[in-house]
Amino acid sequence: MGVIRPVEVRYGVRAVLWVWLMGCACTSQAFVPEAAWIESLERFEREVDARVEVPQVEQSRYAELLARELGASSVWLDQTQFVVLIDRSPSVQIAVVLLGQSLGWRWLGATRTSTGRPGSFEHFITPVGVFEHNLDNPDFRAEGTYNSLHIRGYGLRGMRVFDLGWVAAERGWGRGGVSLMRLQMHATDPDVLEPRLGRAASKGCIRIPAKLNIFIDRYGLLDEAYFEALVQGKKMWVLREDREPTPWPGRYVVVVDSQTTERPDWAALPSPQPRNIEPR
């Protein structure tokens, strides 16, 4: 699979329009050794389920959306790192793991996700934007307890909750408007809600499969800030004892909306349909 390279074209006085091209695989060797890349691909395919096989032309489109969102937030990544990209479009609902930098990205893989479903009280529409995973909002781990609906909202005990802090988001109930919500990325109930991934179903947070949660956690894909704290002598209790840190940790979760109006074949939902239980 080739590297997805941006070509910068100036538009107006300050805006930057990104045009993305598919480059040859050898180009990516400038920032990701090929052997390490192949190992990462094999690990993802072996360890992560609920995968979505996204066509290459759509991969290029998502790379463009990623670049535009980073540019809109004035974020330029000059070091190779992992990024998690979320498409909140109700017709798609995928989480994508990419490795690279602003000069080019390699597509590791995609899974189903669930973002905010409007229409119920205290349900927010997951906001688009670039969200930094840092120590301002420390992560924690799920206790695995049930709520009143017998749902384990954060998943099994020990699952990591990636806390992205308080963000402004559109209310999906009443008269709408904007309020603050706590944006988190986390696993969910493995028996009831994980089978529903691929649908907008949460109160605004980002639900991901348990195995993707473990993959991001074990290899520290978003732990650049946490690893820097370790070097400074700080204790980071939330990090796994059996972690195998990637050489390219990142710190960004980027949410986009592809505005896809009809569900594409490659994002088809699994069957049979899981039972409809109100999320929490």
Side-chain angles (χ1 to χ4, degrees):
M1 185 182 299
V3 64
I4 308 171
R5 286 190 292 120
V7 175
E8 184 177 338
V9 181
R10 297 197 177 277
Y11 178 79
V13 178
R14 299 181 63 185
V16 176
L17 174 66
W18 292 94
V19 180
W20 291 77
L21 303 173
M22 291 303 296
C24 63
C26 61
T27 307
S28 64
Q29 293 178 2
F31 54 90
V32 182
E34 194 67 15
W37 171 245
I38 293 174
E39 181 181 3
S40 296
L41 278 175
E42 292 174 344
R43 281 182 171 179
F44 189 88
E45 293 175 359
R46 183 173 61 250
E47 300 176 21
V48 178
D49 57 7
R51 295 193 305 277
V52 178
E53 300 302 327
V54 180
Q56 198 166 54
V57 63
E58 294 296 329
Q59 293 180 22
S60 296
R61 182 185 179 209
Y62 279 113
E64 178 184 352
L65 290 173
L66 171 60
R68 287 177 177 173
E69 203 60 50
L70 289 171
S73 298
S74 299
V75 175
W76 175 264
L77 304 179
D78 56 4
Q79 299 293 324
T80 299
Q81 59 193 273
F82 281 100
V83 167
V84 175
L85 177 71
I86 307 295
D87 183 0
R88 74 172 190 182
S89 168
S91 298
V92 181
Q93 293 284 294
I94 61 170
V96 182
V97 180
L98 299 105
L99 175 62
Q101 52 184 268
S102 290
L103 291 176
W105 295 96
R106 300 200 80 169
W107 182 283
L108 188 65
T111 71
R112 300 183 186 92
T113 189
S114 285
T115 61
R117 182 194 69 192
S120 299
F121 181 61
E122 292 189 342
H123 281 234
F124 291 87
I125 299 174
T126 305
V128 299
V130 179
F131 304 100
E132 185 174 356
H133 179 237
N134 55 41
L135 300 180
D136 292 343
N137 308 285
D139 293 352
F140 56 96
R141 293 194 177 273
E143 295 181 355
T145 54
Y146 291 92
N147 63 19
S148 60
L149 296 174
H150 204 67
I151 299 293
R152 292 164 289 188
Y154 286 137
L156 297 176
R157 181 178 178 83
M159 287 292 171
R160 188 163 171 188
V161 178
F162 297 90
D163 198 327
L164 302 170
W166 292 100
V167 301
E170 182 180 353
R171 294 191 294 269
W173 74 96
R175 296 182 179 180
V178 175
S179 296
L180 291 179
M181 63 157 282
R182 193 78 174 191
L183 182 59
Q184 298 169 335
M185 185 173 71
H186 58 80
T188 191
D189 189 285
D191 300 321
V192 179
L193 297 182
E194 185 160 335
R196 292 184 58 83
L197 293 178
R199 303 165 177 82
S202 78
K203 286 189 171 183
C205 285
I206 301 164
R207 297 177 183 167
I208 57 176
K211 290 188 177 179
L212 177 60
N213 183 289
I214 294 170
F215 189 87
I216 296 172
D217 184 19
R218 173 176 292 143
Y219 300 115
L221 304 193
L222 295 176
D223 282 337
E224 182 179 22
Y226 285 79
F227 294 158
E228 289 175 351
L230 283 178
V231 172
Q232 296 168 6
K234 298 179 181 179
K235 293 183 178 180
M236 296 287 104
W237 70 268
V238 77
L239 296 179
R240 298 172 63 108
E241 292 184 0
D242 63 346
R243 61 186 178 274
E244 302 175 45
T246 176
W248 310 288
R251 63 173 70 217
Y252 293 107
V253 175
V254 181
V255 180
V256 300
D257 191 331
S258 65
Q259 299 184 346
T260 303
T261 56
E262 296 185 5
R263 186 172 291 273
D265 291 342
W266 53 264
L269 295 171
S271 57
Q273 300 290 320
R275 56 196 177 115
N276 185 19
I277 294 181
E278 177 69 16
R280 179 171 179 177

